[in-house]
Amino acid sequence: MLHLRPIRTAVAGPLLSVSLSLSLALVSGTALADSTVSLRILETTDIHTHLVNYDYYRDSTSDTVGLAKVATLLKTARGEAENIVFIDNGDLIQGNPLGDYMAKRRGLKDGDVHPVYKAMNLLGYDAANLGNHEFNYGLDFLGKAISGANFPYVSANIFADDGDGNAENDKPYFQPYVLLDREFTDTDGKKHKAKVGVIGFVPPQIMQWDKANLEGKVITKDIVEMARKYVPEMREKGADIVIAVPHSGLSTLTREGMEENATYYLSQVDGIDAILFGHSHTVFPSDTYADIDGVDLGKGTINGVAAVMPGFWGSHLGVIDLTLSINDAGEWSVTDSLSDVRPIYQRQGREVTPLVDADPDVINAVKEEHEATIAYMREGVGTTAAPINSFFALVADDPSIQIVTNAQKWYLDRILAGSEYDGIPILSAGAPFKAGGRGGPDYFTDIPKGQIALKNVADLYIYPNTVRAVLLNGDQVREWLEMSAGQFNQIDPKSDDEQQLINENFPTYNFDVIDGVDYQIDVTQPARYSKEGEVANADAHRIVNLSFEGKPIRADQKFVVATNNYRAGGGGHFPALDGSTIIVEAPDENRTVLANYILDVKEIDPKADGNWRLAPIGEASNVMFVTSPKASSALNAPDTIRFVGEDETGFAKYVLQSK
């Protein structure tokens, strides 16, 4: 479908344009032919400080990550087109140990250039948007970091908190949009001046996820409403082309306002010519989005608007090729488009084939900080008496989670001692952050017996969350676990057909295990909640035999639960977790607590206490799940599983056996 959008007149008023066009047509006997410009728009997103093709947790090079690899794709893509606009969509300064090293150990003084921008300035970005993780280290650090960028930043739905309750006088905290003055060459070699408008958006939920850093300083507004406010203004100020850059995923859930994943509805805002999106750590166009009405995977459009999302950690470069028409009145319109994503590697089974080499200029630009991060991550904090892995974290109680929940409880025991909450049982929630999925068959925690270094601590807890405690009753604890149980597909207990146990659309970081209580998960029941936190099956209860100290939990029984700021503030859409139940807002990061716990006990014995298990699955004999190919040699394999081979993507396939 052709995407036709008339755009403002650039050289003449409407009456003069019509008169001039008619006169020329009468003289020549035909209307003047429109000029055609091919514009290539390139995007990176969700780099998460993966500048170098290096895995700091494994302490080795990696073929699957790195802006340095994308830089090589970039050079090729630039060489194929004359007119280029290059934009980043955020989540840049946080995400791997290099980001933490810069924010927590080294810091930024005024005038310092963050290594992210040392690399990006080399690559010639035209503009950038802010992602939600930009706020993890606070506004002061963010300000110092982005001051080193040689390109403008935009974010249209973040406003200064003036505290007056009057939305009419709210002032943007960041520049909402930018108009880039460019000169493009048409297919006949003629030059045309154009204004390219770039507008950015962040998930409004940053106010929950980073409440401690943002409350009282900024507020957020709805993505779509701010697009409706600013896009017409951009046009009035001369934008010939408008590129929207939402750090937001693609969902068709009924619109209610303040959506985290608002890209679908953003595509329906008039005046937007291309959308560069992200946040979801997936690829568009791809089969992931095949069933969404209005999506054309062949062209890469959403409701007729060209769109692209290039994965995460530097896995892809996003490419949109727009065909633009300029008529004799100076009006620009999009007449065709094609979107594509270019990968840095190809996976076939367990084999990863690199498709490009890393760009040496990027590597050299960040060499000092990269090597300092490696040294930082090798610092020791203690020892482990046995290996620690997350191979079976989704099917059985798991040592990699147990260590985290133990550390959080250890921390809260000290904080709450002598307080009004002293004596209320403390539970502790943790989730498997590295459990395969989109990260591939190597994306698991795998720590050998012996010394534990900071790189291992960061491997066990990969996010810079801070500790929170919530006060809940027994029913709320049960509902928390019901939400977590959405990790599983419903299993037919009478079927011999192959059934997949794990719901791959449910993020593993939302599969919270709560230690301190005992329970089973009955996967033969439907999930009570959708992954968006909506009640999907009101009569369903997957959590069975929930008990505390050997007795069934009472509905009104009080518990303090240790968790993190993301979860306690509403991240993941869990019932009763919206910020209102928080009783402790600790300043310490969860992984700092974990490191201090290991330093305190010196040697840990990584054994899970078996407080949760899957309930029997009846006569189902072919219930499958996949995990790391290294799982066969793991000492913590449950006795309820059996290895059956490897799948085509390199994961090891296991069958679940009911006992």
Side-chain angles (χ1 to χ4, degrees):
M1 180 176 71
L2 294 182
H3 177 41
L4 297 170
R5 284 229 174 97
I7 304 177
R8 74 179 293 278
T9 300
V11 298
L15 293 177
L16 178 58
S17 297
V18 171
S19 175
L20 180 60
S21 298
L22 288 172
S23 298
L24 289 171
L26 289 171
V27 170
S28 63
T30 183
L32 291 178
D34 292 353
S35 297
T36 299
V37 169
S38 297
L39 173 62
R40 173 162 286 181
I41 306 171
L42 303 173
E43 181 198 12
T44 54
T45 190
D46 295 277
I47 297 295
H48 284 286
T49 337
H50 289 84
L51 306 177
V52 178
N53 53 316
Y54 199 85
D55 186 331
Y56 294 102
Y57 305 121
R58 298 180 184 274
D59 206 355
S60 63
T61 57
S62 170
D63 289 321
T64 63
V65 303
L67 183 62
K69 292 257 189 178
V70 178
T72 303
L73 293 176
L74 173 68
K75 289 181 177 178
T76 300
R78 275 188 167 140
E80 298 167 348
E82 187 162 9
N83 306 306
I84 301 287
V85 175
F86 184 29
I87 298 171
D88 182 77
N89 193 6
D91 276 9
L92 269 171
I93 65 173
Q94 179 280 333
N96 76 2
L98 174 59
D100 290 330
Y101 169 74
M102 290 304 303
K104 301 296 183 180
R105 173 65 69 91
R106 183 163 178 166
L108 285 175
K109 300 186 296 294
D110 290 340
D112 286 349
V113 178
H114 194 290
V116 158
Y117 299 109
K118 289 184 179 179
M120 295 178 72
N121 289 341
L122 282 176
L123 301 181
Y125 282 84
D126 291 288
N129 179 44
L130 294 166
N132 54 291
H133 283 286
E134 257 67 71
F135 301 92
N136 289 167
Y137 303 129
L139 288 169
D140 181 63
F141 183 83
L142 173 59
K144 289 179 180 178
I146 64 176
S147 68
N150 290 344
F151 45 87
Y153 261 89
V154 291
S155 189
N157 64 321
I158 304 175
F159 292 78
D161 186 355
D162 57 19
D164 67 1
N166 180 8
E168 297 300 319
N169 64 2
D170 290 342
K171 295 180 180 178
Y173 192 87
F174 298 95
Q175 185 176 358
Y177 59 84
V178 65
L179 301 181
L180 304 172
D181 289 313
R182 292 294 181 266
E183 186 174 72
F184 297 139
T185 304
D186 68 20
T187 53
D188 294 324
K190 183 180 177 182
K191 304 290 186 182
H192 300 268
K193 293 187 181 298
K195 288 186 181 293
V196 179
V198 181
I199 183 168
F201 307 93
V202 72
Q205 288 73 19
I206 61 171
M207 297 306 302
Q208 298 168 339
W209 303 335
D210 272 304
K211 180 180 179 180
N213 290 329
L214 302 178
E215 190 174 38
K217 300 173 182 176
V218 298
I219 60 172
T220 55
K221 298 188 180 185
D222 180 73
I223 290 174
V224 175
E225 289 305 313
M226 292 304 98
R228 290 173 178 160
K229 170 185 171 67
Y230 284 118
V231 170
E233 181 179 306
M234 296 167 72
R235 294 294 190 186
E236 290 171 5
K237 291 186 177 180
D240 297 304
I241 301 147
V242 171
I243 303 170
V245 192
H247 196 83
S248 182
L250 181 59
S251 171
T252 55
L253 286 177
T254 302
R255 176 162 156 74
E256 296 179 353
M258 298 296 279
E259 279 79 16
E260 173 185 350
N261 296 307
T263 297
Y264 186 84
Y265 294 103
L266 185 66
S267 71
Q268 297 174 336
V269 175
D270 188 46
I272 294 174
D273 298 300
I275 297 176
L276 311 180
F277 66 115
H279 184 55
S280 295
H281 286 210
T282 51
V283 168
F284 182 91
S286 72
D287 290 341
T288 301
Y289 302 99
D291 297 329
I292 296 180
D293 289 341
V295 165
D296 183 337
L297 294 181
K299 294 185 70 65
T301 59
I302 305 169
N303 294 315
V305 181
V308 74
M309 175 169 56
F312 62 104
W313 301 352
S315 62
H316 297 76
L317 175 69
V319 181
I320 293 178
D321 285 313
L322 293 183
T323 301
L324 303 169
S325 178
I326 315 162
N327 66 20
D328 60 294
E331 296 170 333
W332 296 67
S333 59
V334 177
T335 58
D336 203 0
S337 69
L338 184 65
S339 301
D340 189 24
V341 281
R342 300 185 180 184
I344 66 169
Y345 69 95
Q346 184 176 33
R347 187 187 296 278
Q348 292 181 322
R350 293 180 61 181
E351 296 299 319
V352 172
T353 303
L355 300 179
V356 290
D357 294 326
D359 184 275
D361 292 336
V362 173
I363 298 293
N364 290 334
V366 301
K367 184 174 185 292
E368 178 191 349
E369 294 88 348
H370 168 62
E371 292 179 349
T373 301
I374 293 173
Y376 168 61
M377 293 300 287
R378 288 174 179 171
E379 295 177 7
V381 294
T383 60
T384 174
I388 307 169
N389 66 70
S390 62
F391 300 154
F392 308 106
L394 300 182
V395 297
D397 202 13
D398 171 75
S400 71
I401 300 174
Q402 187 76 54
I403 293 167
V404 172
T405 57
N406 287 352
Q408 291 173 170
K409 185 179 184 301
W410 168 84
Y411 180 75
L412 276 190
D413 278 336
R414 287 152 177 77
I415 287 181
L416 297 180
S419 74
E420 61 182 299
Y421 304 107
D422 195 358
I424 299 176
I426 298 175
L427 312 180
S428 188
F433 296 134
K434 297 180 69 176
R438 294 169 184 155
D442 296 324
Y443 193 60
F444 292 87
T445 295
D446 185 15
I447 301 170
K449 175 182 176 180
Q451 185 187 61
I452 294 181
L454 282 175
K455 65 181 180 180
N456 305 128
V457 173
D459 197 22
L460 288 163
Y461 206 106
I462 64 176
Y463 299 109
N465 300 135
T466 49
V467 176
R468 295 290 184 270
V470 293
L471 181 64
L472 303 179
N473 62 34
D475 271 352
Q476 290 170 322
V477 170
R478 183 186 300 274
E479 295 305 300
W480 186 335
L481 292 170
E482 288 284 3
M483 177 65 190
S484 295
Q487 181 68 76
F488 305 102
N489 294 317
Q490 184 178 5
I491 299 302
D492 182 350
K494 297 181 180 180
S495 174
D496 293 329
D497 295 337
E498 181 172 311
Q499 301 181 72
Q500 296 300 321
L501 176 65
I502 306 302
N503 176 3
E504 294 186 355
N505 291 322
F506 190 96
T508 62
Y509 57 74
N510 281 343
F511 178 55
D512 282 350
V513 170
I514 298 183
D515 275 308
V517 292
D518 290 276
Y519 58 97
Q520 292 179 301
I521 303 175
D522 184 358
V523 296
T524 67
Q525 296 296 311
R528 183 169 171 81
Y529 291 96
S530 71
K531 71 173 183 176
E532 290 80 19
E534 299 173 338
V535 176
N537 297 282
D539 296 329
H541 295 282
R542 284 184 163 181
I543 303 303
V544 296
N545 301 321
L546 177 62
S547 65
F548 174 72
E549 294 184 342
K551 298 179 181 179
I553 282 183
R554 303 188 312 274
D556 62 349
Q557 197 167 358
K558 297 296 183 184
F559 296 96
V560 172
V561 187
T563 181
N564 59 59
N565 61 299
Y566 174 77
R567 181 70 76 241
H573 313 290
F574 279 62
L577 299 179
D578 59 2
S580 64
T581 54
I582 295 173
I583 59 169
V584 173
E585 296 189 13
D588 296 303
E589 290 186 353
N590 297 70
R591 61 184 170 202
T592 299
V593 168
L594 176 58
N596 290 338
Y597 171 72
I598 297 171
L599 283 166
D600 185 67
V601 301
K602 295 182 175 58
E603 181 178 86
I604 59 173
D605 184 12
K607 291 180 181 177
D609 61 14
N611 73 298
W612 78 272
R613 64 203 63 82
L614 295 174
I617 55 174
E619 300 172 8
S621 60
N622 204 11
V623 177
M624 311 295 297
F625 73 95
V626 298
T627 184
S628 166
K630 297 180 180 179
S632 59
S633 60
L635 301 177
N636 62 317
D639 59 5
T640 56
I641 64 173
R642 175 172 53 84
F643 175 67
V644 294
E646 285 191 11
D647 69 10
E648 65 279 3
T649 62
F651 283 96
K653 294 178 65 176
Y654 282 80
V655 64
L656 190 68
Q657 302 174 106
S658 183
K659 294 191 67 175

